[in-house]
């Protein structure tokens, strides 16, 4: 894993224009995520296979200062999550994850933990400025949880949404957690957001998990867009986190014939959602 800081004119600022080594350990590192805290320190996390033979990964991270210098762990990084399988009968595989900053220069990440590349559950993890784990939530529900998205709220906590597949049908679930790892909205296994009882009975496509603008929280409002399979209709949800009873009444169809629904992108301007999407043939 390598890194470089670039200014608005495209000039390379670190290491006399040469890349900085974030991790140079042997074996396979892949799928890095990056965020920056209030001290302009940069955290980079990645999947790391140094403790396995193949196709199995731990979650590692490293912390760089504003000049690109690794603060504590050199070009090795630090292990921040491993889920041990005591029977050693199945391989543990990790998939994409994103980071958001929290209080006291800490970070929260959400990731998918998969068994045999067939069944998975979503985990939410907080690490402090020393990359020590403060808490972890395992949101397993018995269904296949996949493709988590994470965004920050206004209180240094995090909103996390994901696809939950059961009997080949996919619904959207979510949770909001505080900076201390307590549930601020939803249940310990997540709460359904996609309102299947009032919308088309097709699987729901979330924005791609690598997008940082997959959904947005502003005050007590959660803005989310999703696309239905087969019908290719685009919906937007304006969820009032303080009043779950109004949830489905604030989900509207805004477009049909959507192409590549996983690449829609969303943010908000006050209480107004702003969505970018591709329509078939346009």
């Amino acid at each position: 894993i390598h890194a470089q800081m670039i200014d608005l004119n495209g000039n390379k600022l670190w290491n006399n224009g040469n890349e900085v080594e974030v991790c140079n350990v042997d074996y396979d590192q892949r799928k890095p995520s990056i965020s920056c805290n209030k001290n302009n320190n940069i955290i980079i996390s990645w999947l790391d296979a140094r403790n396995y033979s193949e196709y199995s990964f731990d979650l590692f991270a490293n912390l760089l200062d504003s000049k690109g210098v690794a603060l504590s762990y050199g070009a090795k990084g630090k292990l921040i999550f491993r889920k041990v399988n005591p029977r050693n009968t199945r391989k543990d595989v990790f998939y994409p994850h994103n980071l958001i900053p929290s209080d006291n220069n800490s970070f929260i990440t959400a990731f998918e933990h998969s068994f045999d590349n067939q069944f998975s559950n979503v985990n939410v993890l907080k690490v402090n400025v020393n990359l020590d784990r403060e808490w972890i939530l395992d949101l397993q529900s018995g269904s296949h949880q996949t493709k988590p998205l994470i965004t920050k709220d206004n209180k240094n906590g995090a909103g996390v949404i994901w696809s939950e597949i059961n009997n080949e049908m996919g619904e959207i679930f979510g949770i909001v957690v505080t900076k201390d790892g307590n549930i601020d909205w939803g249940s310990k296994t997540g709460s359904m957001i996609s309102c299947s009882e009032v919308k088309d009975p097709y699987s729901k496509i979330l924005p791609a998990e690598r997008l940082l603008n997959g959904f947005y929280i502003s005050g007590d409002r959660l803005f989310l867009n999703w696309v239905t399979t087969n019908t290719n209709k685009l919906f937007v949800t304006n969820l009032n986190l303080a009043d779950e009873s109004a949830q489905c009444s604030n989900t509207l169809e805004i477009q049909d014939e959507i192409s590549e629904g996983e690449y829609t992108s969303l943010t908000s301007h006050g209480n107004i959602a702003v969505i970018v999407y591709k329509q078939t043939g346009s």
Side-chain angles (χ1 to χ4, degrees):
I1 306 294
H2 290 229
Q4 180 58 269
M5 181 176 282
I6 301 172
D7 68 16
L8 295 178
N9 296 314
N11 299 309
K12 299 177 181 179
L13 304 181
W14 284 349
N15 197 23
N16 297 317
N18 300 306
E19 64 265 31
V20 170
E21 288 186 332
V22 178
C23 179
N24 61 9
V25 177
D26 289 339
Y27 304 101
D28 188 11
Q29 289 88 36
R30 62 176 67 181
K31 296 186 178 180
S33 292
I34 188 169
S35 187
C36 182
N37 65 23
K38 294 180 180 178
N39 286 350
N40 289 326
N41 294 329
I42 296 159
I43 190 172
I44 300 173
S45 61
W46 64 89
L47 309 184
D48 196 297
R50 72 183 71 177
N51 295 309
Y52 303 95
S53 57
E54 61 177 347
Y55 305 126
S56 198
F57 299 89
D58 291 323
L59 189 60
F60 272 71
N62 210 348
L63 193 68
L64 311 181
D65 66 15
S66 60
K67 297 180 180 179
V69 177
L71 292 177
S72 301
Y73 304 101
K76 294 183 178 180
K78 182 177 181 179
L79 174 71
I80 62 173
F81 184 82
R82 174 187 295 166
K83 189 164 187 176
V84 178
N85 187 337
R87 296 184 180 180
N88 198 30
T89 57
R90 295 185 291 188
K91 295 178 180 179
D92 293 348
V93 183
F94 291 98
Y95 288 92
H97 55 284
N98 284 323
L99 298 161
I100 60 165
S102 185
D103 63 324
N104 300 320
N105 299 309
S106 62
F107 296 86
I108 302 175
T109 180
F111 54 90
E112 175 185 341
H113 178 229
S114 178
F115 303 94
D116 286 341
N117 200 20
Q118 294 178 350
F119 179 82
S120 61
N121 54 275
V122 170
N123 287 253
V124 186
L125 169 69
K126 182 179 180 181
V127 294
N128 62 24
V129 69
N130 297 315
L131 303 184
D132 297 321
R133 191 168 76 191
E134 292 193 359
W135 50 259
I136 184 168
L137 295 177
D138 189 340
L139 303 176
Q140 55 182 311
S141 64
S143 300
H144 175 50
Q145 299 174 333
T146 184
K147 298 184 177 180
L149 294 167
I150 187 170
T151 192
K152 61 184 179 180
D153 65 9
N154 297 6
K155 298 175 287 187
N156 292 312
V160 181
I161 60 174
W162 62 88
S163 294
E164 188 148 327
I165 301 172
N166 194 359
N167 297 324
E168 298 184 354
M169 293 298 297
E171 298 291 349
I172 298 170
F173 278 68
I175 194 171
V176 179
V177 298
T178 70
K179 63 182 181 180
D180 300 314
N182 299 313
I183 297 173
D184 201 25
W185 178 88
S187 70
K188 62 181 181 181
T189 57
S191 295
M192 187 185 293
I193 297 176
S194 50
C195 300
S196 61
E197 69 274 12
V198 294
K199 301 302 172 188
D200 293 317
Y202 298 109
S203 291
K204 315 304 189 297
I205 303 174
L206 280 172
E209 63 269 25
R210 298 299 286 172
L211 290 178
L212 296 180
N213 289 79
F215 76 116
Y216 193 86
I217 293 178
S218 178
D220 61 359
R221 297 281 176 170
L222 185 152
F223 298 90
L224 165 69
N225 62 268
W226 40 276
V227 175
T228 54
T229 58
N230 300 340
T231 58
N232 296 323
K233 294 180 178 180
L234 175 64
F235 292 88
V236 60
T237 291
N238 176 358
L239 179 61
N240 187 341
L241 298 173
D243 182 11
E244 292 188 48
S245 65
Q247 173 180 335
C248 293
S249 63
N250 290 331
T251 297
L252 301 173
E253 178 189 343
I254 60 172
Q255 186 67 60
D256 57 12
E257 298 184 358
I258 295 299
S259 175
E260 300 178 285
E262 65 269 28
Y263 296 110
T264 56
S265 186
L266 177 146
T267 187
S268 78
H269 180 71
N271 282 331
I272 300 174
V274 181
I275 306 169
V276 179
Y277 58 90
K278 180 181 178 182
Q279 189 177 9
T280 302
S282 176

